[in-house]
């Protein structure tokens, strides 16, 4: 039976109503919508009572985290859209074979479009959202509000209408803007994670507490994994100008799991090569000193205790407490050298495990710095790239090594200069991994007076894509035959309005005479491949799936994911084409509405599939 594709993103409200209805059937009611049609809705008074152990009579004070227009941001996250993603072969690299995606467009809409296709499929999300600098964002969602609107909405006027706050950049408006920008995106992102998936968010200290409150609400406070402190600068940038002020040299990476706070993570960085020049009855070992300085600020007299006849002199102290030092002696892990210095034995068999504890402080030698990240980008695309801050590849690689397996999908929906893509390619080259990425970035224009624009980059997406191209080529060159099968390509998709004309979604708004004049419900500038990707989104087919194009009886036919989906968008399709497709037994078959060559083909369509592939799901658009 042929049925119409809905051709819009998942309606999260309908989905949430179903979930609540499964738990509390008595909370589901009916109402008439604006069109006079009956639809399901939630009886919120009943739901409140179901979730309370006492009689609910009115509003009660309770702990909550809120801000102006929070409800609008929730509503916006749940509302469906009819946009689509259009492929762009000319800007892609190895379009037909790559498993990586670079999506150009506002990530709010893109996250909605990915809801069905990548539901529960992303193992790790890393994002570096815009920090709150007291300025407006390029992500102008419908619930954003002006300074005047914020002030009026939040009651910051006295009885005579005078403003109570002197400076909009120091009041809550910019916190509101930032929260309304990030909240619905995180809400959408959660559903994309696997059950054991994690999300990592880079953030500065200005919005750290707000971000943690948002993440607690969306993911659950119990699902916080950790908060990394990343030493992002080797030294302060303005120490000479503010000698006695605290100098910021750190940023943060907040980590939450989707549903399993007990998930075990390991740093899979292999142990550094070490030599073990000594040997005794326990095996080969190397030695390190167990003493440290006891001078100046390092002085701790309580660490100058006696152990097995040895007490450090006043210039030195033990590195560990007495219990630990005594145990090292007793287990033959310590001895006094010929120079009279206590030395710890590090045995090879005890250091062979490549899995190390994950420490939440990331120093510069472990994860690089903001300066090194900026330099890395400059070496690839030119120093005048226009980015003030760039995350280093080393930082992202460390997070990948800790939180993502070799075959996982990683999503970055604030991709910026595409550091994440380079980090994934480098890590795959090092450990023969098959990690795949989805990068999303809005095409924010470069300053027309800036050096990046003068160098030929019109927007930051162009910089990101060029970085991936050059980084991929460099990695392959440096790794030679070892990188022969490394995926350094990416499939470019661009956010656009639906391929369908408005009559497809709102037929009631058109008179019969108008509809008859529309010979096609598809926009004239759209290609068959455009239609294919909107169908893939609608049916939940991975956007990186293999696509093969063939000709059957003169008609262009797409075979996606080895026959999972077969589509033909040509007109005047004959029985010969329909029969050949049915014999391939696809799971889905999609064609344009009223595209069959004759009434006879339309009449025999169901019989053909009933004969050769009765289980195929048939759809039209």
């Amino acid at each position: 039976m042929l049925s119409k594709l809905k051709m819009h993103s998942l309606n999260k409200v309908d989905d949430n109503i179903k979930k609540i209805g499964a738990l509390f059937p008595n909370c589901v009611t009916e109402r008439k919508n604006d069109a006079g049609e009956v639809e399901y809705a939630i009886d919120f008074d009943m739901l409140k009572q179901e979730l309370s152990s006492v009689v609910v009579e009115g509003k009660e004070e309770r702990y909550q985290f809120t801000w102006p227009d929070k409800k609008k941001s929730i509503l916006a996250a749940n509302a469906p859209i009819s946009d689509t993603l259009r492929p762009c072969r000319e800007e892609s690299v190895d379009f037909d074979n790559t498993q990586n995606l670079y999506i150009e467009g506002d990530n709010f809409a893109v996250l909605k479009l990915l809801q069905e296709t990548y539901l529960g499929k992303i193992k790790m999300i890393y994002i570096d959202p815009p920090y709150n600098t007291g300025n407006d964002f390029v992500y102008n969602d419908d619930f954003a509000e002006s300074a005047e609107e914020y002030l009026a909405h939040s009651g910051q006027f006295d009885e005579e209408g005078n403003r109570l706050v002197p400076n909009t950049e120091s009041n809550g408006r910019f916190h509101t803007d930032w929260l309304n920008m990030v909240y619905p995106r995180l809400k959408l992102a959660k559903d994309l994670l696997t059950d054991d998936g994690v999300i990592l968010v880079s953030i500065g200290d200005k919005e750290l507490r707000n971000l943690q409150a948002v993440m607690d609400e969306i993911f659950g406070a119990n699902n916080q994994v950790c908060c990394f402190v990343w030493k992002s600068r080797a030294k302060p940038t303005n120490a000479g100008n503010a000698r006695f002020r605290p100098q910021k040299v750190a940023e943060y990476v907040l980590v939450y799991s989707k549903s399993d706070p007990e998930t075990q993570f390991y740093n899979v960085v292999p142990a550094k090569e070490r030599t073990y020049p000594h040997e005794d009855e326990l095996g080969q070992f190397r030695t390190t000193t167990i003493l440290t300085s006891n001078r100046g600020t390092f002085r701790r007299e309580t660490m100058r205790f006696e152990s097995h006849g040895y007490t450090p002199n006043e210039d030195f102290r033990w590195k560990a407490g007495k219990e630990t030092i005594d145990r090292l002696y007793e287990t033959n892990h310590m001895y006094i050298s010929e120079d009279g210095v206590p030395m710890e034995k590090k045995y090879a068999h005890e250091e062979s495990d490549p899995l190390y504890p994950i420490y939440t402080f990331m120093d510069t030698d472990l994860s690089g710095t903001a300066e090194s990240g900026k330099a890395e980008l400059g070496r690839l695309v030119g120093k005048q790239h226009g980015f003030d801050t760039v995350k280093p590849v080393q930082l992202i690689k460390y997070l990948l090594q800790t939180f993502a397996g070799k075959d996982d999908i990683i999503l970055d929906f604030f991709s910026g200069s595409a550091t994440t893509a380079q980090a994934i390619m480098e890590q795959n080259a090092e450990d023969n991994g098959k990690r795949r990425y989805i990068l999303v970035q809005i095409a924010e224009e470069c300053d027309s007076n800036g050096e990046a624009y003068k160098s030929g980059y019109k927007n930051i997406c162009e910089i990101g894509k060029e970085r991936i191209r050059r980084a991929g080529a460099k990695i392959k060159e440096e790794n030679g035959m070892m990188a022969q099968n490394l995926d350094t390509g990416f499939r470019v998709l661009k956010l656009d309005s639906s391929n369908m004309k408005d009559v497809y979604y709102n037929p009631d708004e058109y008179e019969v005479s108008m509809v008859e004049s529309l010979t096609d419900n598809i926009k004239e500038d759209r290609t068959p491949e455009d239609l294919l990707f909107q169908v893939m989104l609608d049916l939940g087919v991975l956007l990186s799936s293999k696509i093969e194009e063939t000709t059957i009886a003169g008609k262009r036919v797409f075979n996606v994911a080895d026959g999972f989906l077969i589509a033909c968008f040509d007109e005047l399709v004959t029985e010969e084409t329909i029969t050949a497709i049915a014999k391939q037994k696809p799971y889905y078959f999609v064609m344009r509405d009223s595209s069959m060559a004759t009434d006879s083909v339309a009449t025999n369509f169901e019989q053909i599939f009933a004969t050769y592939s009765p289980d195929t799901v048939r759809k039209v658009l």
Side-chain angles (χ1 to χ4, degrees):
M1 180 71 68
L2 277 169
S3 60
K4 279 239 179 188
L5 287 163
K6 64 181 186 300
M7 303 296 274
H8 58 68
S9 69
L10 182 68
N11 188 327
K12 299 283 286 185
V13 171
D14 290 345
D15 189 47
N16 289 337
I17 289 174
K18 289 180 181 178
K19 291 176 181 177
I20 292 174
L23 293 172
F24 307 107
N26 59 323
C27 294
V28 178
T29 184
E30 294 181 351
R31 69 177 181 189
K32 287 189 176 181
N33 60 23
D34 294 339
E37 300 167 333
V38 176
E39 63 180 11
Y40 288 113
I42 296 296
D43 183 338
F44 289 103
D45 290 334
M46 183 64 72
L47 182 60
K48 287 178 182 178
Q49 186 60 69
E50 285 283 0
L51 300 177
S52 177
S53 59
V54 297
V55 175
V56 177
E57 295 180 346
K59 293 183 178 180
E60 295 181 2
E61 291 183 343
R62 63 191 184 279
Y63 175 81
Q64 61 179 326
F65 177 57
T66 190
W67 62 90
D69 283 337
K70 180 181 180 180
K71 290 182 178 179
K72 286 186 180 180
S73 70
I74 296 173
L75 186 65
N78 289 332
I81 59 173
S82 58
D83 292 345
T84 190
L85 298 175
R86 299 177 67 185
C88 183
R89 282 182 171 269
E90 58 271 23
E91 296 179 18
S92 304
V93 174
D94 198 17
F95 184 96
D96 290 320
N97 300 304
T98 185
Q99 293 290 298
N100 302 314
L101 299 176
Y102 187 100
I103 304 177
E104 190 171 319
D106 189 332
N107 52 23
F108 190 35
V110 172
L111 286 169
K112 289 189 175 194
L113 293 176
L114 298 181
Q115 286 297 300
E116 289 184 272
T117 307
Y118 289 92
L119 182 71
K121 292 184 173 67
I122 306 296
K123 179 58 181 296
M124 170 180 160
I125 296 174
Y126 169 79
I127 58 172
D128 181 18
Y131 292 1
N132 186 356
T133 59
N135 297 308
D136 291 314
F137 302 98
V138 295
Y139 304 90
N140 292 320
D141 302 320
D142 291 340
F143 45 81
E145 57 187 354
S146 68
E148 291 74 18
E149 290 172 330
Y150 170 81
L151 291 168
H153 192 250
S154 55
Q156 297 186 57
F157 290 94
D158 62 22
E159 294 179 356
E160 297 178 356
N162 298 313
R163 261 177 56 175
L164 297 176
V165 281
N167 179 5
T168 58
E169 293 200 10
S170 64
N171 68 31
R173 176 204 163 200
F174 289 104
H175 289 293
T176 291
D177 287 349
W178 192 85
L179 288 166
N180 279 330
M181 182 274 294
V182 76
Y183 184 88
R185 288 166 171 82
L186 292 173
K187 189 171 173 63
L188 290 167
K190 179 184 178 182
D191 290 338
L192 301 179
L193 287 171
T194 59
D195 287 341
D196 62 346
V198 291
I199 181 168
L200 303 92
V201 186
S202 283
I203 196 67
D205 53 8
K206 199 169 191 178
E207 290 293 350
L208 176 61
R209 63 172 183 167
N210 282 336
L211 176 64
Q212 184 167 348
V214 166
M215 300 284 275
D216 282 349
E217 181 169 313
I218 294 174
F219 292 90
N222 291 335
N223 286 335
Q224 181 180 340
V225 176
C226 67
C227 179
F228 285 106
V229 179
W230 169 48
K231 188 177 180 184
S232 58
R233 296 188 179 277
K235 60 182 180 179
T237 57
N238 61 343
N241 299 327
R243 182 179 175 186
F244 298 109
R245 277 177 48 196
Q247 300 299 305
K248 294 181 181 180
V249 294
E251 297 179 31
Y252 307 89
V253 180
L254 201 53
V255 185
Y256 280 72
S257 63
K258 181 180 180 180
S259 59
D260 185 6
E262 300 302 320
T263 298
Q264 297 296 309
F265 301 106
Y266 297 96
N267 181 355
V268 296
V269 182
K272 296 178 180 178
E273 293 186 8
R274 299 188 177 101
T275 58
Y276 299 88
H278 312 291
E279 187 172 4
D280 62 14
E281 65 274 12
L282 295 182
Q284 293 181 324
F285 66 91
R286 62 187 180 90
T287 62
T288 62
T289 180
I290 196 66
L291 297 180
T292 188
S293 173
N294 194 43
R295 298 171 180 168
T297 58
F298 300 103
R299 182 172 292 279
R300 290 179 62 190
E301 287 301 316
T302 57
M303 297 294 283
R304 289 186 60 244
F305 49 81
E306 183 273 336
S307 179
H308 289 72
Y310 183 91
T311 303
N313 66 38
E314 61 180 12
D315 291 332
F316 295 93
R317 60 179 173 83
W318 297 105
K319 286 183 178 179
K322 183 171 176 52
E323 184 178 344
T324 299
I325 298 299
D326 288 345
R327 186 172 63 252
L328 289 174
Y329 267 121
E330 292 162 2
T331 59
N332 195 31
H333 281 68
M334 185 178 291
Y335 72 101
I336 304 298
S337 71
E338 294 179 357
D339 299 328
V341 179
M343 305 293 291
E344 182 183 359
K345 297 180 181 181
K346 299 278 190 179
Y347 287 94
H349 67 274
E350 294 175 344
E351 292 192 309
S352 61
D353 189 349
L355 304 180
Y356 284 85
I358 305 163
Y359 298 108
T360 56
F361 176 69
M362 298 186 293
D363 210 337
T364 55
D365 61 341
L366 179 70
S367 52
T369 65
E371 295 95 326
S372 65
K374 193 172 181 179
E376 288 166 348
L377 178 61
R379 286 191 291 270
L380 285 171
V381 302
K383 293 182 179 180
Q384 309 303 328
H385 48 66
F387 281 88
D388 293 328
T389 59
V390 181
K391 292 297 183 289
V393 172
Q394 194 174 342
L395 169 66
I396 309 304
K397 284 173 67 176
Y398 179 77
L399 298 175
L400 288 169
Q401 293 158 359
T402 303
F403 295 106
K406 290 185 178 182
D407 298 310
D408 288 330
I409 302 176
I410 294 92
L411 168 65
D412 181 348
F413 55 86
F414 284 99
S415 73
S417 66
T419 302
T420 299
Q422 182 176 344
I424 289 171
M425 290 188 292
E426 287 191 13
Q427 190 61 42
N428 282 344
E430 291 176 13
D431 62 12
N432 198 31
K434 301 293 182 184
R435 300 170 187 83
R436 294 154 285 165
Y437 63 77
I438 302 174
L439 265 56
V440 186
Q441 178 58 48
I442 194 169
E444 183 180 351
E445 293 183 359
C446 296
D447 182 358
S448 58
N449 296 318
E451 294 299 323
Y453 189 91
K454 294 176 182 177
S455 299
Y457 299 112
K458 301 300 184 291
N459 60 63
I460 64 176
C461 288
E462 293 183 3
I463 298 175
K465 287 178 284 190
E466 186 61 19
R467 181 203 191 139
I468 302 172
R469 296 185 191 103
R470 296 186 185 186
K474 184 173 181 287
I475 293 167
K476 281 200 167 183
E477 180 183 356
E478 292 176 346
N479 289 273
M481 291 297 293
M482 297 293 292
Q484 187 174 5
N485 297 320
L486 182 67
D487 185 359
T488 58
F490 56 95
R491 184 176 283 184
V492 175
L493 305 173
K494 296 191 178 186
L495 180 69
D496 207 334
S497 61
S498 173
N499 296 311
M500 316 306 291
K501 294 177 180 177
D502 288 343
V503 66
Y504 182 91
Y505 298 105
N506 304 301
D508 293 341
E509 296 180 7
Y510 290 77
E511 298 177 2
V512 174
S513 59
M514 294 171 63
V515 175
E516 290 176 349
S517 67
L518 297 170
T519 58
D520 199 348
N521 60 5
I522 297 170
K523 294 175 181 176
E524 287 77 8
D525 64 337
R526 304 305 165 95
T527 68
E529 203 163 48
D530 290 337
L531 300 178
L532 178 65
F533 273 85
Q534 187 159 3
V535 168
M536 290 167 68
L537 280 171
D538 203 82
L539 298 179
V541 181
L542 293 183
L543 300 176
S544 58
S545 297
K546 182 181 179 181
I547 301 171
E548 294 179 313
E549 184 181 329
T550 58
T551 302
I552 300 177
K555 302 302 176 185
R556 187 179 181 186
V557 176
F558 295 99
N559 184 320
V560 182
D562 297 320
F564 182 75
L565 163 66
I566 293 182
C568 178
F569 304 114
D570 287 0
E571 298 192 20
L572 302 177
V573 178
T574 63
E575 271 190 37
E576 182 180 357
T577 303
I578 298 296
T579 301
I581 291 172
K583 287 181 177 180
Q584 295 182 51
K585 296 180 169 58
Y587 185 87
Y588 285 113
F589 170 62
V590 180
M591 63 189 301
R592 294 168 75 159
D593 196 11
S594 303
S595 64
M596 298 181 199
T598 64
D599 291 341
S600 175
V601 176
T603 301
N604 295 330
F605 178 89
E606 291 297 334
Q607 184 58 45
I608 292 171
F609 271 93
T611 301
Y612 296 106
S613 186
D615 295 331
T616 293
V617 180
R618 284 91 77 184
K619 300 278 188 178
V620 295
L621 53 85

